[in-house]
Amino acid sequence: MTTALLIQGAWHSRWTERFDEYANTFEEIVISTYKNDISKLALFPNVLSHPKVSVVLNHSSIPPGADWYGNVWYQCLTTRAALQQVRSQYVIKARTDEYWSNLDLMKSAVETSSKMVCINIYFKKPCWFPFHIGDHLYGGPTSLFKRGFDILEQNLAQDRFNNSSMAAEQKICLSLLSAAGEVPNWQQSRTQMLANWQTIDASLLEPFWFNAPSVGTVGSTVEQIRECESNNPTVDLLNSIDKYFE
């Protein structure tokens, strides 16, 4: 089995702090960023010339009438473009402005699970936010993700969500569930999420560094996580996905 690490977003060098670990863990690394960041990429020739690394450069634009709310269009744009380059059987999606340690654990979970996998940070309880995955780090079969992001792109380009205030994480999850053969049902979100997703405890991936919109950049110390949770009452760092449905 082979697994790719897909790293997307506006160029940021933070992910390169764990590059050696990533290169040892994954069979391929695909970076998807923007053409207007090309001068910044030039500062990292040793990383970007590595034989496992490929780079996709995208135009930074939103088509007229497309759903842009919550920056979902740009995540879809960069992720979908990278997925088209992925050759591995499985894929894990991360962000350029974040890093994670021990991704071999996430890789193992993705390769052995019959479900899609995401971290528990920002995986929200269905009673508050149905179909809200933790989209800072998630993965699954590449073929499923390619179908899911094709569906997401179609949904966003035609604004099938009516540019709603539904979170980007929900729109991504609904599209991936559709790719998995589900007909998303808001009254059955618990059942459908349990059948198609599992979470991995982010504490197993320490040290990490991620961006939480409401509190800024947050690291993996106990104090930093507590600050994140205090500002986000729907965030739970729990060990089992079942706890989210109690």
Side-chain angles (χ1 to χ4, degrees), residues 15-55:
W15 75 272
T16 65
E17 296 179 36
R18 288 291 186 275
F19 175 70
D20 289 342
E21 297 170 32
Y22 290 174
N24 287 331
T25 300
F26 295 95
E27 285 70 32
E28 60 177 320
I29 300 172
V30 182
I31 313 302
S32 186
T33 188
Y34 299 103
K35 290 187 175 181
N36 57 10
D37 284 335
I38 193 167
S39 61
K40 300 175 183 177
L41 274 69
L43 300 175
F44 299 88
N46 294 336
V47 170
L48 300 180
S49 64
H50 191 281
K52 288 188 176 182
V53 173
S54 59
V55 179

Side-chain angles (χ1 to χ4, degrees), residues 3 21 24 26 29 37 43 45 114 132 136 157 161 179 188 224 241:
T3 300
E21 297 170 32
N24 287 331
F26 295 95
I29 300 172
D37 284 335
L43 300 175
S114 60
H132 194 297
H136 284 252
F161 298 112
Q188 298 294 325
Q224 289 168 321
I241 191 172

Side-chain angles (χ1 to χ4, degrees), residues 55-128:
V55 179
V56 181
L57 297 176
N58 305 276
H59 289 290
S60 179
S61 62
I62 301 176
D67 183 348
W68 51 265
Y69 185 86
N71 212 35
V72 66
W73 175 262
Y74 287 118
Q75 183 175 167
C76 177
L77 170 70
T78 51
T79 304
R80 183 170 178 266
L83 283 168
Q84 294 171 358
Q85 304 299 316
V86 172
R87 301 179 302 276
S88 297
Q89 185 177 356
Y90 297 93
V91 63
I92 293 171
K93 200 239 38 140
R95 289 171 30 162
T96 56
D97 60 348
E98 302 179 342
Y99 69 68
W100 305 87
S101 302
N102 305 315
L103 280 187
D104 55 321
L105 299 176
M106 182 73 176
K107 180 175 183 280
S108 177
V110 167
E111 291 178 347
T112 59
S113 178
S114 60
K115 304 175 184 180
M116 293 176 281
V117 180
C118 68
I119 56 168
N120 53 358
I121 295 176
Y122 283 122
F123 188 102
K124 298 187 177 182
K125 295 182 178 181
C127 61
W128 288 320

Side-chain angles (χ1 to χ4, degrees), residues 122 211-216 227-228 231-232:
Y122 283 122
N211 285 309
S214 59
V215 295
E227 177 186 6
C228 178
N231 285 276
N232 296 273

